[in-house]
Amino acid sequence: MQKKIENVRRVYRRAISLPLLNVEEIWKKYDIFENEQDKAKAKKNLSDVSVIYMTARSAMREMSSYFALMQQYHPPYDLAVPPQWSENELQYLKVWKEYLTWEKSNPLKLEALGAVRERVRFTYKKALTYLRFYPEVWLEMTDYVNQFDPDMALEIIKDARTVLPESLSVNFMYAELCEIKKDYATCEGIYKGLKDKISHKFQKIETKHERHRKRVMSVGGAESKTEDPSNGEQDHSAAASQDNTSSVTGSDSDESESDDESEAYHSEEEDRSPDFGDNGQGNEMEEESGPVKSAAERALERKLKRLDSRFKAKLDK
């Protein structure tokens, strides 16, 4: 019976040392348990662990404030999704990072350094359940673990590279850890892989741009051939309809693009407005300086110029 009592006491003391949500209720039950065993010794037994309990209770209240903020900004159904860097996502990340910093400060006043490290590592693993696609969380965890277990840190950054294969920061840290271990062959493979992926992205953008440009030119060229310069009024109405048609055609082709780069080619609202050509004075000036370009040709030039501008912006990005 004495052994059973000691086992129950040990479990109670373990429970009140943790920042559990119901730690206050557990403390009350432990108080009742000690008084049932021996009222004379109960006061001493409770005073021996009261400081530990107070620390756990204080930590629990601080943790609850972090968890409340997490619930305020958490994603739908708490599912890990690639971030779009919205204000809500940034706030969610900020709360998690503040909580991780708090855990690193050893709020439970644990004496064993190994216990503190294990608790922080567990908190990072918990964070990655929700922030799986945030590179900096992986990097921070790797950097923290690398201080006391380089092999484990290398495994962590390997996992990060599996989740975020195109992240430059993740790949650079992986290469750095491999370089420290003098694994130069792996370093070379990492950098070559990154170069190939980025080259493929550029090639994909260039191919898409060229295909889109040819489509615009083919539509614009066909429209310019249908113009009849012998009738001024027909010129103006044809130019208007052709410009509208080419705008709509361009818009339809934009909507048909299926990959992520399609937004770079969407036409602005003003692109859809018809071009009725210049007034009579402008036409006379053009006749003096050289051959007059048709409305469709001018519209085509403007479209190609805008298309090339968006292409350059996409490459820069």
Side-chain angles (χ1 to χ4, degrees):
M1 180 57 69
Q2 187 62 31
K3 185 177 180 181
K4 181 180 178 180
I5 292 172
E6 287 298 326
N7 285 339
V8 173
R9 180 178 287 117
R10 186 170 63 252
V11 173
Y12 265 121
R13 291 188 173 188
R14 172 64 176 154
I16 62 172
S17 69
L18 299 173
L20 303 173
L21 292 176
N22 60 337
V23 68
E24 294 176 350
E25 183 182 345
I26 295 173
W27 173 258
K28 292 176 183 178
K29 290 183 178 181
Y30 177 51
D31 188 308
I32 295 171
F33 170 78
E34 288 291 5
N35 280 282
E36 286 177 347
Q37 306 311 313
D38 190 335
K39 289 188 178 181
K41 293 182 179 179
K43 188 174 181 180
K44 180 182 181 302
N45 290 337
L46 290 170
S47 64
D48 289 344
V49 292
S50 62
V51 175
I52 297 174
Y53 159 68
M54 294 297 289
T55 302
R57 187 180 70 171
S58 176
M60 179 270 294
R61 289 175 178 174
E62 289 186 58
M63 286 176 63
S64 297
S65 65
Y66 288 116
F67 294 156
L69 286 172
M70 289 176 190
Q71 286 301 310
Q72 182 178 343
Y73 299 114
H74 74 103
Y77 308 106
D78 283 327
L79 293 176
V81 293
Q84 302 301 314
W85 307 112
S86 65
E87 184 61 30
N88 204 68
E89 290 171 328
L90 292 173
Q91 289 297 326
Y92 188 58
L93 175 63
K94 179 183 176 183
V95 174
W96 265 108
K97 292 180 71 173
E98 289 175 351
Y99 175 51
L100 286 162
T101 302
W102 179 79
E103 282 286 1
K104 290 177 184 178
S105 69
N106 190 16
L108 295 177
K109 305 296 187 289
L110 301 175
E111 295 181 0
L113 183 58
V116 177
R117 289 171 173 173
E118 188 60 31
R119 184 172 179 85
V120 173
R121 193 173 70 88
F122 171 80
T123 307
Y124 268 114
K125 291 177 69 176
K126 186 71 174 175
L128 287 171
T129 304
Y130 307 102
L131 305 173
R132 182 175 176 82
F133 300 102
Y134 290 73
E136 62 189 284
V137 181
W138 287 99
L139 300 178
E140 286 186 13
M141 182 180 182
T142 303
D143 189 53
Y144 178 79
V145 174
N146 191 51
Q147 298 174 30
F148 54 87
D149 194 337
D151 291 334
M152 183 184 293
L154 191 62
E155 291 302 317
I156 291 170
I157 202 65
K158 276 184 181 178
D159 292 340
R161 194 163 174 256
T162 302
V163 176
L164 301 164
E166 294 184 1
S167 171
L168 296 179
S169 54
V170 168
N171 278 279
F172 288 157
M173 176 166 270
Y174 181 41
E176 183 178 341
L177 294 183
C178 290
E179 186 178 355
I180 292 172
K181 290 180 172 293
K182 301 188 184 302
D183 186 0
Y184 302 124
T186 301
C187 292
E188 184 179 5
I190 293 168
Y191 291 128
K192 282 186 176 180
L194 278 176
K195 186 177 76 70
D196 291 343
K197 287 175 183 176
I198 294 174
S199 298
H200 177 70
K201 278 189 172 183
F202 274 91
Q203 185 179 8
K204 186 177 179 181
I205 295 171
E206 290 168 354
T207 302
K208 183 180 183 64
H209 169 71
E210 188 61 31
R211 185 174 65 248
H212 200 92
R213 205 174 193 279
K214 287 180 179 178
R215 183 161 58 245
V216 171
M217 288 182 68
S218 64
V219 173
E223 288 170 351
S224 63
K225 290 179 181 179
T226 61
E227 287 194 346
D228 183 7
S230 61
N231 191 323
E233 293 181 1
Q234 288 179 0
D235 263 3
H236 291 311
S237 62
S241 65
Q242 287 159 358
D243 239 13
N244 281 328
T245 304
S246 63
S247 297
V248 173
T249 306
S251 175
D252 290 343
S253 63
D254 287 344
E255 293 174 0
S256 68
E257 303 294 347
S258 60
D259 57 33
D260 294 337
E261 281 117 19
S262 61
E263 74 269 9
Y265 301 107
H266 285 347
S267 298
E268 290 91 344
E269 195 64 33
E270 63 265 20
D271 293 350
R272 302 176 182 275
S273 61
D275 182 4
F276 293 100
D278 299 324
N279 56 27
Q281 184 178 357
N283 288 335
E284 290 175 2
M285 292 176 65
E286 286 184 359
E287 287 174 0
E288 292 176 0
S289 60
V292 180
K293 292 183 179 180
S294 67
E297 288 174 335
R298 293 195 300 272
L300 178 60
E301 286 182 357
R302 289 196 301 273
K303 284 182 179 294
L304 292 177
K305 187 175 180 180
R306 287 193 295 268
L307 194 64
D308 291 339
S309 177
R310 295 184 194 117
F311 167 65
K312 184 180 181 302
K314 192 68 179 177
L315 288 182
D316 291 342
K317 182 181 178 181

